[in-house]
Amino acid sequence: MNFTDMSRITPELTERHKKYLAGQYESGLLMFGGRKVPRTGGILVSAHPTKESLIEVLESDPFVASGAVSYVVTEFIPVMASEQYAGIVA
């Protein structure tokens, strides 16, 4: 996700975004997330079965719905992992 209009990033919107993502993490389909450095947005790692199902989640995020952020989906297929993460790579 990339910030498109920082003036729309309010504490209230940030809390709605965090609460929304917390619910998505409970589904097990969002795996990891965090801020970019420098703070120009964030990154989410997902295990959604289709790009379309992920887009539905992203477009419902309060940050995106408000127009404060935009997103770019980059698909990848993990093929290597350290031993501690081998269970993630199928």
Coordinates of all heavy atoms in Angstrom, one line a residue:
M1 N 0.9 -1.2 0.0 CA 0.0 0.0 0.0 C 0.9 1.2 0.0 O 2.0 1.2 0.6 CB -0.9 0.0 1.2 CG -1.8 -1.2 1.3 SD -2.9 -1.1 2.7 CE -4.3 -1.9 2.0
N2 N 0.5 2.3 -0.7 CA 1.2 3.5 -0.8 C 0.3 4.6 -0.4 O -0.8 4.7 -0.8 CB 1.7 3.7 -2.2 CG 2.6 2.6 -2.7 OD1 3.6 2.3 -2.1 ND2 2.2 2.0 -3.8
F3 N 0.8 5.5 0.4 CA 0.1 6.7 0.8 C -0.2 7.6 -0.4 O 0.8 7.8 -1.2 CB 0.8 7.5 1.9 CG 0.9 6.9 3.2 CD1 2.1 6.9 3.9 CD2 -0.1 6.1 3.8 CE1 2.3 6.3 5.1 CE2 0.1 5.5 5.0 CZ 1.2 5.6 5.7
T4 N -1.4 8.0 -0.7 CA -1.7 8.9 -1.8 C -2.2 10.2 -1.3 O -2.0 11.2 -2.0 CB -2.8 8.3 -2.7 OG1 -4.0 8.0 -1.9 CG2 -2.3 7.0 -3.4
D5 N -2.7 10.3 -0.1 CA -3.2 11.6 0.5 C -3.0 11.5 2.0 O -3.8 11.1 2.7 CB -4.6 11.8 0.1 CG -5.1 13.2 0.5 OD1 -4.4 13.9 1.3 OD2 -6.2 13.6 0.2
M6 N -1.8 12.0 2.4 CA -1.4 11.9 3.9 C -2.4 12.7 4.7 O -2.6 12.5 5.9 CB 0.0 12.4 4.1 CG 1.1 11.4 3.7 SD 1.0 9.9 4.7 CE 1.5 10.5 6.3
S7 N -3.0 13.8 4.1 CA -4.0 14.6 4.9 C -5.2 13.8 5.4 O -5.8 14.2 6.3 CB -4.4 15.8 4.1 OG -5.2 15.4 3.0
R8 N -5.4 12.7 4.7 CA -6.6 11.8 5.1 C -6.2 10.8 6.2 O -7.1 10.1 6.7 CB -7.1 11.1 3.9 CG -7.7 12.0 2.9 CD -8.3 11.2 1.8 NE -8.9 12.1 0.7 CZ -9.7 11.7 -0.2 NH1 -10.1 10.4 -0.3 NH2 -10.1 12.5 -1.1
I9 N -4.9 10.6 6.5 CA -4.5 9.7 7.5 C -4.7 10.3 8.9 O -3.9 11.1 9.3 CB -3.0 9.2 7.3 CG1 -2.8 8.7 5.9 CG2 -2.6 8.2 8.4 CD1 -3.4 7.4 5.6
T10 N -5.8 10.0 9.5 CA -6.1 10.5 10.8 C -6.0 9.4 11.9 O -6.0 8.2 11.5 CB -7.5 11.0 10.9 OG1 -8.4 9.9 10.7 CG2 -7.8 12.1 9.9
P11 N -5.8 9.7 13.1 CA -5.8 8.7 14.1 C -7.0 7.7 14.1 O -6.9 6.5 14.2 CB -5.7 9.4 15.5 CG -5.0 10.7 15.1 CD -5.6 11.0 13.7
E12 N -8.2 8.3 13.8 CA -9.4 7.5 13.8 C -9.4 6.6 12.6 O -9.7 5.4 12.7 CB -10.6 8.4 13.7 CG -10.9 9.3 14.9 CD -10.0 10.6 15.0 OE1 -9.4 11.0 13.9 OE2 -9.9 11.1 16.0
L13 N -8.9 7.0 11.4 CA -8.8 6.2 10.2 C -7.8 5.1 10.5 O -8.0 3.9 10.1 CB -8.5 7.0 9.0 CG -8.4 6.2 7.7 CD1 -9.7 5.6 7.4 CD2 -8.0 7.2 6.5
T14 N -6.7 5.5 11.1 CA -5.6 4.5 11.4 C -6.2 3.4 12.3 O -5.9 2.2 12.0 CB -4.4 5.1 12.0 OG1 -3.9 6.1 11.1 CG2 -3.3 4.1 12.3
E15 N -6.9 3.7 13.3 CA -7.5 2.7 14.2 C -8.5 1.8 13.4 O -8.5 0.6 13.6 CB -8.2 3.4 15.4 CG -7.2 3.8 16.4 CD -6.2 2.7 16.9 OE1 -6.7 1.6 17.3 OE2 -5.0 3.0 16.8
R16 N -9.3 2.4 12.5 CA -10.3 1.6 11.7 C -9.5 0.6 10.8 O -9.9 -0.5 10.7 CB -11.2 2.5 10.9 CG -12.2 3.2 11.8 CD -13.1 4.1 11.0 NE -13.5 3.7 9.7 CZ -13.6 4.5 8.7 NH1 -13.3 5.8 8.8 NH2 -13.9 4.1 7.5
H17 N -8.4 1.1 10.2 CA -7.5 0.3 9.4 C -7.0 -0.9 10.2 O -7.0 -2.0 9.8 CB -6.4 1.2 8.8 CG -5.3 0.4 8.2 ND1 -5.3 -0.3 7.1 CD2 -4.0 0.3 8.7 CE1 -4.1 -0.8 6.8 NE2 -3.3 -0.4 7.8
K18 N -6.4 -0.6 11.4 CA -5.8 -1.6 12.2 C -6.8 -2.7 12.6 O -6.6 -3.9 12.6 CB -5.1 -1.0 13.4 CG -3.9 -0.3 13.1 CD -3.3 0.3 14.4 CE -2.0 1.1 14.1 NZ -1.4 1.6 15.4
K19 N -8.0 -2.2 13.0 CA -9.1 -3.1 13.5 C -9.5 -4.0 12.3 O -9.7 -5.2 12.5 CB -10.2 -2.3 14.0 CG -11.3 -3.2 14.6 CD -12.4 -2.3 15.3 CE -13.4 -3.1 15.9 NZ -14.4 -2.3 16.6
Y20 N -9.6 -3.4 11.1 CA -10.0 -4.2 9.9 C -9.0 -5.3 9.6 O -9.3 -6.4 9.4 CB -10.2 -3.2 8.7 CG -10.5 -4.0 7.5 CD1 -11.8 -4.5 7.2 CD2 -9.5 -4.2 6.5 CE1 -12.1 -5.2 6.1 CE2 -9.8 -4.9 5.4 CZ -11.1 -5.4 5.1 OH -11.4 -6.1 4.0
L21 N -7.7 -4.9 9.6 CA -6.7 -5.8 9.3 C -6.6 -6.9 10.4 O -6.4 -8.1 10.1 CB -5.3 -5.2 9.2 CG -5.1 -4.3 7.9 CD1 -3.7 -3.8 7.9 CD2 -5.4 -5.1 6.7
A22 N -6.8 -6.6 11.7 CA -6.8 -7.6 12.7 C -7.9 -8.7 12.4 O -7.6 -9.9 12.6 CB -7.1 -7.0 14.1
G23 N -9.0 -8.3 11.9 CA -10.0 -9.3 11.6 C -9.6 -10.1 10.4 O -9.9 -11.3 10.3
Q24 N -8.9 -9.5 9.5 CA -8.4 -10.3 8.3 C -7.3 -11.2 8.7 O -7.2 -12.4 8.2 CB -7.9 -9.3 7.2 CG -9.0 -8.5 6.6 CD -10.1 -9.3 6.0 OE1 -9.9 -10.2 5.3 NE2 -11.3 -8.9 6.4
Y25 N -6.4 -10.9 9.7 CA -5.4 -11.8 10.2 C -6.0 -13.0 10.8 O -5.5 -14.1 10.7 CB -4.4 -11.1 11.1 CG -3.4 -10.3 10.4 CD1 -3.4 -8.9 10.5 CD2 -2.4 -10.9 9.7 CE1 -2.5 -8.1 9.8 CE2 -1.4 -10.1 9.0 CZ -1.5 -8.7 9.1 OH -0.5 -8.0 8.5
E26 N -7.2 -12.8 11.5 CA -7.9 -13.9 12.1 C -8.3 -15.0 11.1 O -8.4 -16.2 11.5 CB -9.1 -13.4 12.9 CG -8.7 -12.7 14.2 CD -9.9 -12.2 14.9 OE1 -11.0 -12.6 14.7 OE2 -9.6 -11.3 15.8
S27 N -8.5 -14.6 9.9 CA -8.9 -15.6 8.8 C -7.7 -16.5 8.5 O -8.0 -17.5 7.9 CB -9.4 -14.8 7.6 OG -8.3 -14.3 6.9
G28 N -6.5 -16.1 8.8 CA -5.3 -16.8 8.4 C -4.8 -16.6 7.0 O -3.8 -17.1 6.6
L29 N -5.6 -15.7 6.3 CA -5.1 -15.5 4.9 C -4.1 -14.3 4.8 O -3.4 -14.3 3.8 CB -6.4 -15.2 4.0 CG -7.3 -16.5 3.8 CD1 -8.5 -16.1 3.0 CD2 -6.5 -17.6 3.2
L30 N -4.2 -13.4 5.7 CA -3.1 -12.4 5.8 C -2.1 -13.0 6.7 O -2.4 -13.5 7.8 CB -3.6 -11.1 6.3 CG -4.3 -10.1 5.4 CD1 -4.6 -8.8 6.1 CD2 -3.5 -9.9 4.1
M31 N -0.8 -13.0 6.2 CA 0.2 -13.6 7.0 C 1.1 -12.7 7.7 O 1.5 -12.9 8.9 CB 1.1 -14.4 6.0 CG 0.3 -15.5 5.3 SD 1.2 -16.3 3.9 CE 2.7 -16.9 4.7
F32 N 1.6 -11.6 7.1 CA 2.5 -10.6 7.6 C 2.1 -9.3 7.1 O 1.6 -9.1 6.0 CB 4.0 -10.9 7.2 CG 4.4 -12.3 7.5 CD1 4.5 -13.2 6.5 CD2 4.9 -12.6 8.8 CE1 4.9 -14.5 6.7 CE2 5.3 -13.9 9.0 CZ 5.4 -14.9 8.0
G33 N 2.5 -8.2 7.9 CA 2.3 -6.9 7.4 C 3.1 -5.9 8.2 O 3.6 -6.2 9.3
G34 N 3.4 -4.8 7.7 CA 4.2 -3.8 8.4 C 4.4 -2.5 7.5 O 4.0 -2.5 6.4
R35 N 5.1 -1.6 8.2 CA 5.3 -0.3 7.5 C 6.5 -0.4 6.6 O 7.5 -1.1 6.9 CB 5.7 0.8 8.6 CG 4.5 1.1 9.4 CD 4.9 2.1 10.5 NE 3.8 2.4 11.3 CZ 3.9 3.0 12.5 NH1 5.1 3.3 13.0 NH2 2.9 3.3 13.2
K36 N 6.5 0.4 5.5 CA 7.7 0.6 4.7 C 8.6 1.5 5.3 O 8.2 2.4 6.1 CB 7.3 1.1 3.3 CG 6.5 0.2 2.4 CD 6.2 0.9 1.1 CE 5.4 0.1 0.2 NZ 5.1 0.9 -1.1
V37 N 9.9 1.4 5.0 CA 10.9 2.4 5.5 C 11.6 2.9 4.2 O 12.2 2.1 3.4 CB 12.0 1.7 6.4 CG1 13.1 2.7 6.8 CG2 11.3 1.1 7.6
P38 N 11.5 4.2 3.9 CA 10.8 5.2 4.8 C 9.3 5.0 4.7 O 8.8 4.3 3.9 CB 11.2 6.6 4.1 CG 11.5 6.2 2.7 CD 12.1 4.8 2.7
R39 N 8.6 5.7 5.6 CA 7.2 5.5 5.8 C 6.4 6.1 4.7 O 5.8 7.2 4.8 CB 6.7 6.0 7.2 CG 5.4 5.5 7.5 CD 5.0 5.6 8.9 NE 3.7 5.0 9.1 CZ 2.8 5.4 10.0 NH1 3.1 6.5 10.7 NH2 1.6 4.9 10.1
T40 N 6.3 5.4 3.6 CA 5.5 5.8 2.5 C 4.3 4.9 2.3 O 3.6 5.1 1.3 CB 6.4 5.8 1.2 OG1 6.9 4.4 1.0 CG2 7.5 6.8 1.3
G41 N 4.1 4.0 3.2 CA 3.0 3.0 3.1 C 3.3 1.8 3.8 O 4.1 1.8 4.8
G42 N 2.8 0.6 3.4 CA 3.0 -0.6 4.1 C 3.0 -1.8 3.1 O 2.7 -1.6 1.9
I43 N 3.3 -2.9 3.6 CA 3.4 -4.2 2.8 C 2.6 -5.2 3.6 O 2.7 -5.4 4.8 CB 4.8 -4.6 2.6 CG1 5.6 -3.6 1.7 CG2 4.9 -6.0 2.0 CD1 7.0 -3.9 1.5
L44 N 1.8 -6.0 2.8 CA 1.1 -7.1 3.4 C 1.5 -8.4 2.6 O 1.7 -8.3 1.4 CB -0.4 -6.9 3.2 CG -1.1 -5.8 3.9 CD1 -2.5 -5.6 3.5 CD2 -1.0 -6.0 5.4
V45 N 1.7 -9.5 3.3 CA 2.0 -10.7 2.6 C 0.7 -11.6 2.9 O 0.3 -11.8 4.0 CB 3.2 -11.4 3.2 CG1 3.4 -12.8 2.6 CG2 4.4 -10.5 3.0
S46 N 0.2 -12.1 1.8 CA -1.1 -12.8 1.9 C -1.0 -14.2 1.3 O -0.2 -14.5 0.5 CB -2.1 -12.0 1.0 OG -3.1 -12.8 0.6
A47 N -1.9 -15.1 1.8 CA -2.1 -16.4 1.3 C -3.4 -16.6 0.7 O -4.0 -17.7 0.6 CB -1.9 -17.4 2.4
H48 N -4.0 -15.5 0.2 CA -5.3 -15.6 -0.5 C -5.2 -16.6 -1.7 O -4.3 -16.5 -2.4 CB -5.8 -14.2 -0.9 CG -6.3 -13.5 0.3 ND1 -5.5 -12.8 1.2 CD2 -7.6 -13.2 0.7 CE1 -6.2 -12.2 2.1 NE2 -7.5 -12.5 1.9
P49 N -6.3 -17.4 -1.9 CA -6.2 -18.3 -3.0 C -6.3 -17.7 -4.4 O -5.8 -18.3 -5.3 CB -7.4 -19.2 -2.7 CG -8.4 -18.4 -2.0 CD -7.5 -17.5 -1.1
T50 N -6.8 -16.5 -4.5 CA -6.9 -15.8 -5.8 C -6.6 -14.4 -5.6 O -6.8 -13.8 -4.5 CB -8.3 -16.0 -6.4 OG1 -9.2 -15.2 -5.6 CG2 -8.7 -17.4 -6.6
K51 N -6.1 -13.8 -6.7 CA -5.8 -12.3 -6.7 C -7.1 -11.6 -6.4 O -7.2 -10.6 -5.7 CB -5.2 -11.9 -8.0 CG -4.8 -10.5 -8.1 CD -4.1 -10.2 -9.4 CE -3.8 -8.8 -9.6 NZ -3.1 -8.5 -10.9
E52 N -8.2 -12.0 -7.0 CA -9.5 -11.4 -6.8 C -10.0 -11.4 -5.4 O -10.5 -10.4 -4.9 CB -10.6 -12.1 -7.7 CG -10.3 -11.9 -9.2 CD -9.2 -12.7 -9.8 OE1 -8.9 -13.8 -9.2 OE2 -8.6 -12.3 -10.8
S53 N -9.8 -12.5 -4.6 CA -10.2 -12.5 -3.2 C -9.3 -11.5 -2.4 O -9.8 -10.9 -1.5 CB -10.1 -13.9 -2.7 OG -8.8 -14.4 -2.6
L54 N -8.1 -11.4 -2.7 CA -7.2 -10.4 -2.0 C -7.7 -9.0 -2.4 O -7.8 -8.1 -1.5 CB -5.8 -10.6 -2.4 CG -4.8 -9.5 -1.9 CD1 -4.8 -9.4 -0.4 CD2 -3.4 -9.7 -2.4
I55 N -8.0 -8.7 -3.6 CA -8.4 -7.4 -4.0 C -9.7 -7.0 -3.3 O -9.9 -5.8 -2.8 CB -8.6 -7.3 -5.5 CG1 -7.2 -7.3 -6.2 CG2 -9.4 -6.0 -5.9 CD1 -7.2 -7.4 -7.7
E56 N -10.6 -7.9 -3.1 CA -11.8 -7.6 -2.3 C -11.5 -7.2 -0.9 O -12.1 -6.2 -0.4 CB -12.7 -8.9 -2.2 CG -13.5 -9.2 -3.5 CD -14.3 -10.4 -3.3 OE1 -14.8 -10.7 -2.2 OE2 -14.5 -11.1 -4.3
V57 N -10.5 -7.8 -0.3 CA -10.1 -7.5 1.1 C -9.4 -6.1 1.1 O -9.7 -5.2 1.9 CB -9.1 -8.5 1.7 CG1 -8.4 -8.0 2.9 CG2 -9.8 -9.8 1.9
L58 N -8.5 -5.9 0.1 CA -7.8 -4.6 0.0 C -8.8 -3.4 -0.2 O -8.7 -2.4 0.4 CB -6.8 -4.6 -1.1 CG -5.6 -5.6 -0.9 CD1 -4.7 -5.6 -2.1 CD2 -4.8 -5.2 0.4
E59 N -9.7 -3.6 -1.1 CA -10.7 -2.5 -1.4 C -11.6 -2.2 -0.3 O -12.2 -1.1 -0.2 CB -11.4 -2.8 -2.7 CG -10.4 -2.7 -3.9 CD -11.1 -2.8 -5.2 OE1 -12.3 -3.2 -5.3 OE2 -10.3 -2.6 -6.2
S60 N -11.8 -3.1 0.7 CA -12.6 -2.9 1.8 C -11.9 -2.3 3.0 O -12.5 -1.9 4.0 CB -13.3 -4.2 2.3 OG -14.1 -4.7 1.3
D61 N -10.6 -2.2 2.9 CA -9.7 -1.6 3.9 C -10.1 -0.1 4.0 O -10.2 0.6 3.0 CB -8.3 -1.8 3.6 CG -7.3 -1.2 4.6 OD1 -7.6 -0.2 5.2 OD2 -6.3 -1.9 4.8
P62 N -10.3 0.4 5.2 CA -10.7 1.8 5.4 C -9.7 2.7 4.8 O -10.1 3.8 4.3 CB -10.8 1.9 6.9 CG -11.2 0.6 7.4 CD -10.5 -0.4 6.5
F63 N -8.4 2.4 4.8 CA -7.4 3.3 4.2 C -7.7 3.4 2.7 O -7.6 4.5 2.2 CB -6.0 2.7 4.4 CG -5.3 3.2 5.6 CD1 -5.8 4.0 6.6 CD2 -4.0 2.8 5.9 CE1 -5.1 4.5 7.7 CE2 -3.3 3.2 7.0 CZ -3.8 4.1 7.9
V64 N -7.9 2.3 2.0 CA -8.1 2.3 0.6 C -9.5 2.9 0.3 O -9.6 3.8 -0.6 CB -8.1 0.9 0.0 CG1 -8.4 0.9 -1.5 CG2 -6.7 0.3 0.2
A65 N -10.5 2.5 1.0 CA -11.9 3.0 0.8 C -12.0 4.6 0.9 O -12.7 5.2 0.2 CB -12.9 2.4 1.7
S66 N -11.1 5.1 1.8 CA -11.1 6.6 2.0 C -10.4 7.3 1.0 O -10.4 8.6 0.9 CB -10.5 6.9 3.4 OG -9.1 6.7 3.3
G67 N -9.6 6.6 0.2 CA -8.7 7.3 -0.8 C -7.4 7.7 -0.3 O -6.6 8.3 -1.0
A68 N -7.1 7.4 1.0 CA -5.8 7.8 1.6 C -4.7 7.0 1.1 O -3.5 7.4 1.1 CB -5.9 7.7 3.1
V69 N -4.9 5.7 0.6 CA -3.8 4.9 0.1 C -4.3 4.2 -1.2 O -5.5 4.0 -1.4 CB -3.3 3.8 1.1 CG1 -2.9 4.5 2.4 CG2 -4.4 2.8 1.4
S70 N -3.3 3.8 -1.9 CA -3.6 2.9 -3.1 C -2.7 1.7 -2.9 O -1.9 1.6 -2.0 CB -3.1 3.6 -4.4 OG -1.8 3.9 -4.4
Y71 N -3.0 0.7 -3.7 CA -2.2 -0.6 -3.6 C -1.8 -1.1 -4.9 O -2.4 -0.8 -6.0 CB -3.0 -1.6 -2.8 CG -4.3 -2.1 -3.5 CD1 -4.2 -3.1 -4.5 CD2 -5.5 -1.5 -3.3 CE1 -5.4 -3.5 -5.2 CE2 -6.6 -1.8 -3.9 CZ -6.6 -2.8 -4.9 OH -7.7 -3.2 -5.6
V72 N -0.8 -1.9 -4.9 CA -0.3 -2.7 -6.0 C -0.1 -4.1 -5.6 O 0.5 -4.3 -4.5 CB 1.1 -2.1 -6.6 CG1 1.6 -3.0 -7.7 CG2 0.9 -0.7 -7.0
V73 N -0.7 -5.0 -6.3 CA -0.6 -6.4 -6.0 C 0.6 -7.0 -6.8 O 0.6 -6.9 -8.0 CB -1.9 -7.2 -6.2 CG1 -1.7 -8.7 -6.0 CG2 -3.0 -6.7 -5.4
T74 N 1.5 -7.6 -6.1 CA 2.7 -8.3 -6.7 C 2.6 -9.7 -6.3 O 2.7 -10.1 -5.2 CB 4.0 -7.7 -6.3 OG1 4.0 -6.3 -6.6 CG2 5.2 -8.4 -7.0
E75 N 2.3 -10.6 -7.3 CA 2.2 -12.0 -7.0 C 3.6 -12.6 -7.1 O 4.4 -12.2 -7.9 CB 1.3 -12.7 -8.0 CG -0.2 -12.1 -7.9 CD -1.1 -12.8 -8.9 OE1 -1.4 -14.0 -8.7 OE2 -1.4 -12.2 -9.9
F76 N 3.8 -13.6 -6.3 CA 5.1 -14.4 -6.4 C 4.8 -15.8 -5.9 O 3.9 -16.0 -5.1 CB 6.2 -13.7 -5.6 CG 6.2 -13.9 -4.1 CD1 7.1 -14.8 -3.5 CD2 5.3 -13.2 -3.3 CE1 7.1 -15.0 -2.2 CE2 5.3 -13.4 -1.9 CZ 6.2 -14.3 -1.4
I77 N 5.7 -16.7 -6.3 CA 5.6 -18.1 -5.9 C 6.9 -18.4 -5.1 O 8.0 -18.4 -5.7 CB 5.5 -19.0 -7.1 CG1 4.2 -18.7 -7.9 CG2 5.6 -20.5 -6.6 CD1 4.2 -19.4 -9.2
P78 N 6.8 -18.5 -3.8 CA 8.0 -18.9 -3.0 C 8.5 -20.2 -3.3 O 7.8 -21.2 -3.5 CB 7.5 -18.8 -1.5 CG 6.0 -19.0 -1.6 CD 5.6 -18.5 -3.0
V79 N 9.8 -20.3 -3.6 CA 10.4 -21.6 -3.9 C 11.5 -22.0 -3.0 O 12.0 -23.2 -3.0 CB 11.0 -21.6 -5.4 CG1 9.8 -21.5 -6.4 CG2 12.0 -20.5 -5.6
M80 N 12.0 -21.1 -2.2 CA 13.0 -21.4 -1.2 C 12.7 -20.8 0.1 O 12.1 -19.7 0.1 CB 14.4 -20.9 -1.7 CG 14.9 -21.6 -3.0 SD 16.4 -20.9 -3.5 CE 17.6 -21.5 -2.3
A81 N 13.1 -21.4 1.2 CA 12.9 -20.8 2.5 C 13.9 -21.4 3.5 O 14.4 -22.6 3.3 CB 11.5 -21.1 3.0
S82 N 14.2 -20.7 4.6 CA 15.0 -21.2 5.6 C 14.2 -22.3 6.3 O 13.0 -22.4 6.2 CB 15.4 -20.2 6.6 OG 14.3 -19.7 7.3
E83 N 14.9 -23.2 7.1 CA 14.3 -24.3 7.7 C 13.1 -23.9 8.5 O 12.0 -24.6 8.5 CB 15.3 -25.1 8.6 CG 14.8 -26.4 9.1 CD 15.8 -27.2 9.8 OE1 17.0 -27.3 9.3 OE2 15.5 -27.7 10.9
Q84 N 13.2 -22.8 9.3 CA 12.1 -22.4 10.2 C 10.9 -21.9 9.4 O 9.8 -21.9 10.0 CB 12.6 -21.3 11.1 CG 12.9 -20.0 10.4 CD 13.7 -19.0 11.3 OE1 14.6 -19.4 11.9 NE2 13.3 -17.8 11.3
Y85 N 11.0 -21.6 8.1 CA 9.8 -21.2 7.3 C 9.5 -22.2 6.2 O 8.6 -22.0 5.4 CB 10.0 -19.8 6.7 CG 10.2 -18.8 7.7 CD1 11.4 -18.2 8.0 CD2 9.1 -18.3 8.5 CE1 11.6 -17.2 8.9 CE2 9.3 -17.4 9.5 CZ 10.5 -16.8 9.7 OH 10.6 -15.8 10.6
A86 N 10.1 -23.4 6.2 CA 9.9 -24.4 5.2 C 8.4 -24.8 5.1 O 7.9 -25.1 4.0 CB 10.8 -25.6 5.4
G87 N 7.7 -24.8 6.2 CA 6.3 -25.1 6.1 C 5.4 -24.2 5.3 O 4.3 -24.6 4.9
I88 N 5.9 -23.0 5.1 CA 5.1 -22.0 4.3 C 5.2 -22.3 2.9 O 4.3 -22.1 2.1 CB 5.6 -20.6 4.7 CG1 5.2 -20.3 6.1 CG2 4.9 -19.6 3.7 CD1 5.8 -18.9 6.6
V89 N 6.4 -22.8 2.4 CA 6.7 -23.0 1.0 C 6.2 -24.4 0.7 O 6.6 -25.4 1.3 CB 8.2 -22.9 0.7 CG1 8.5 -23.2 -0.7 CG2 8.7 -21.5 1.1
A90 N 5.3 -24.5 -0.2 CA 4.7 -25.8 -0.6 C 5.3 -26.3 -1.9 O 5.7 -25.6 -2.7 CB 3.2 -25.7 -0.7

